[in-house]
Amino acid sequence: MIPWLIGLAVAGALWFAIYGHLTEFADAVIAALGLARGTAIGEAVHFFFYDTPKVLLLLSGIVFLMGIIQTFFSPERTRALLSGKRVGVGNVLAASLGIVTPFCSCSAVPLFIGFLSAGVPLGVTFSFLISAPMVNEVALVLLFGLFGWKVAALYLGLGLAVAIVAGLVIGKLAMERYLEDWVQRILTGTAPEFAGERLTWVDRFRAGWRHVREIVGKVWPYIIAGIAIGAAIHGYVPEDFMASIMGRDAPWWSLPLAVLIGVPMYTNAAGIIPVVEALIGKGAALGTVLAFMMSVIALSLPEMIILRKVLKVPLIAAFAGVVACGILLVGYVFNLVLG
Amino acid sequence: MKDIKVLGTGCANCRNTIKLIEEVAAEKGVAITLSKVEDLPEIMKYGVMSTPGVVVDGKVVHAGGVPDRARIAGWL
């Protein structure tokens, strides 16, 4: 315990020291390379060397904290919290728990069945399943780091809203019969309970560290690639280039098109957000771009293929349709309010 | 002889878990039979909700994420 606390104190101090000197670092890199701000290459390089360390620092810090928080919200615990909750309250709770419960799309199916077999209603289960991948700490950290807290908060609020409302709608449609037959058979029997493991604080710190290695280890190439593309757009694409395609002057169908293009794209928030930031800098409308981002993250083809093992086609179609409508609505509202 | 089953649908973490258990067992010289359960209905019978799960002699001891070495050594 003591070595962990000392290590964390040192790491924390170091973190804040570095975070406070990011601009100086990027300026120094520019100077060392003999470049000047204001030129295309200078702006691009500065963008890259300012944003990369910033995002990686923010990400490591938050992911560590989330790794610790998640040890308090095992899927088993979340299920216990949700079972027996009424529709409505249950949807709100499910979407919120989706943020803090560890989730990976490879566990989506066991989780789905686990929830249903504990008596969590189908619509509430979907609220969780929509919120968990879409409203995650990686997306929020990147939005916060690149756009500031307002956009991050809006994304959080609207992401939760989409998950809650989509879950309510799916619940209303009463599509339980579109679960695969073997799932329905399991649901009539009772599954044995696994109570979960006892954890000490050292276990939780370890879990946080493991989370950092797992998440940051996985996403850093995407972040660097994303920021590099973003940097190129930042330096070289002319101002207002995006305004006619994805901006305020774009025709109404640019938003549905952006959502549609997002579905087969499967990248994590880490890769897409730096590109998105650069696009917005060039005149793309925030709502269109956020909708695009949500559809890339929340509606992914691989996840639907996994879910096909437990859901029949009409239910998957309803899921995708309802979520897509929610995202579209978010995009239009955003463009209307901010435009 | 410990009977160990790893529950998982074949994701990277499941493969890492199996490799790690094999390594720890070999290090400690404990004889185990290690098997993979990839069939979803079969996995669900154990009541785990996050994979990989680990079952030792018919009892679920772990669910979700790759377990660390110390924990595996504890099961053996």
Side-chain angles (χ1 to χ4, degrees):
Chain A
M1 186 73 184
I2 301 296
W4 268 101
L5 290 179
I6 296 171
L8 283 176
V10 172
L14 209 61
W15 192 96
F16 280 105
I18 300 175
Y19 195 77
H21 294 85
L22 289 172
T23 320
E24 286 93 323
F25 171 71
D27 289 344
V29 171
I30 295 279
L33 291 172
L35 299 167
R37 297 292 301 267
T39 62
I41 177 89
E43 285 297 321
V45 171
H46 192 275
F47 181 92
F48 184 82
F49 282 99
Y50 176 75
D51 275 350
T52 309
K54 180 180 179 184
V55 165
L56 288 178
L57 271 179
L58 277 172
L59 195 65
S60 312
I62 300 295
V63 165
F64 180 73
L65 291 180
M66 275 308 286
I68 293 176
I69 293 173
Q70 286 184 352
T71 60
F72 292 96
F73 294 91
S74 66
E76 288 77 16
R77 180 110 181 247
T78 296
R79 173 172 71 174
L81 287 172
L82 286 179
S83 73
K85 284 284 177 305
R86 278 183 303 120
V87 171
V89 180
N91 292 79
V92 175
L93 193 63
S96 314
L97 286 169
I99 308 171
V100 289
T101 308
F103 176 82
C104 117
S105 56
C106 52
S107 302
V109 165
L111 202 89
F112 186 85
I113 298 173
F115 275 27
L116 290 180
S117 65
V120 180
L122 186 63
V124 175
T125 304
F126 264 107
S127 279
F128 179 87
L129 217 57
I130 295 164
S131 141
M134 185 162 69
V135 188
N136 64 69
E137 73 266 24
V138 177
L140 289 173
V141 163
L142 281 153
L143 286 173
F144 171 75
L146 299 174
F147 294 107
W149 67 270
K150 277 185 198 154
V151 173
L154 268 174
Y155 182 85
L156 172 70
L158 292 171
L160 286 178
V162 167
I164 292 166
V165 174
L168 282 172
V169 172
I170 291 172
K172 266 272 177 292
L173 293 175
M175 299 186 83
E176 277 78 1
R177 64 180 183 284
Y178 293 111
L179 296 170
E180 280 294 336
D181 301 335
W182 68 269
V183 178
Q184 302 200 14
R185 273 198 299 280
I186 285 184
L187 295 186
T188 51
T190 42
E193 292 272 323
F194 170 58
E197 294 149 272
R198 286 205 142 288
L199 294 173
T200 64
W201 267 100
V202 173
D203 288 332
R204 297 188 200 280
F205 287 143
R206 277 214 192 99
W209 177 233
R210 205 163 48 229
H211 200 53
V212 170
R213 278 192 322 204
E214 214 170 279
I215 301 282
V216 180
K218 196 170 67 186
V219 305
W220 72 266
Y222 294 95
I223 293 184
I224 293 188
I227 296 178
I229 295 171
I233 296 175
H234 197 78
Y236 291 98
V237 176
E239 295 289 332
D240 285 340
F241 172 77
M242 293 306 295
S244 56
I245 308 172
M246 285 173 102
R248 250 163 279 131
D249 317 330
W252 66 270
W253 47 260
S254 82
L255 183 53
L257 190 68
V259 171
L260 212 61
I261 293 173
V263 177
M265 283 182 67
Y266 185 56
T267 170
N268 37 47
I272 196 89
I273 295 176
V275 179
V276 158
E277 186 206 13
L279 290 179
I280 286 177
K282 300 299 173 189
L286 191 58
T288 306
V289 167
L290 276 186
F292 172 67
M293 207 182 97
M294 282 185 170
S295 100
V296 169
I297 304 173
L299 289 174
S300 75
L301 226 42
E303 194 187 326
M304 285 184 212
I305 291 168
I306 293 175
L307 285 177
R308 178 65 191 85
K309 289 179 189 164
V310 279
L311 310 179
K312 291 179 185 167
V313 174
L315 187 45
I316 293 192
F319 160 66
V322 169
V323 174
C325 288
I327 292 174
L328 274 181
L329 210 61
V330 164
Y332 280 124
V333 167
F334 241 94
N335 283 347
L336 213 64
V337 172
L338 298 173
Chain B
M1 184 74 113
K2 293 262 185 198
D3 174 49
I4 300 183
K5 291 190 178 74
V6 174
L7 317 175
T9 44
C11 52
N13 277 346
C14 312
R15 286 194 296 274
N16 291 338
T17 304
I18 289 173
K19 220 174 78 200
L20 208 58
I21 293 176
E22 276 170 349
E23 276 173 28
V24 174
E27 258 169 41
K28 300 190 64 161
V30 179
I32 55 168
T33 53
L34 191 60
S35 56
K36 254 195 303 193
V37 181
E38 292 193 329
D39 183 40
L40 268 174
E42 201 59 37
I43 292 175
M44 292 318 299
K45 277 187 196 153
Y46 289 96
V48 302
M49 286 199 296
S50 32
T51 55
V54 179
V55 179
V56 178
D57 290 335
K59 199 167 164 290
V60 180
V61 293
H62 174 83
V66 180
D68 48 35
R69 279 172 171 274
R71 185 149 272 161
I72 296 175
W75 301 329
L76 304 174

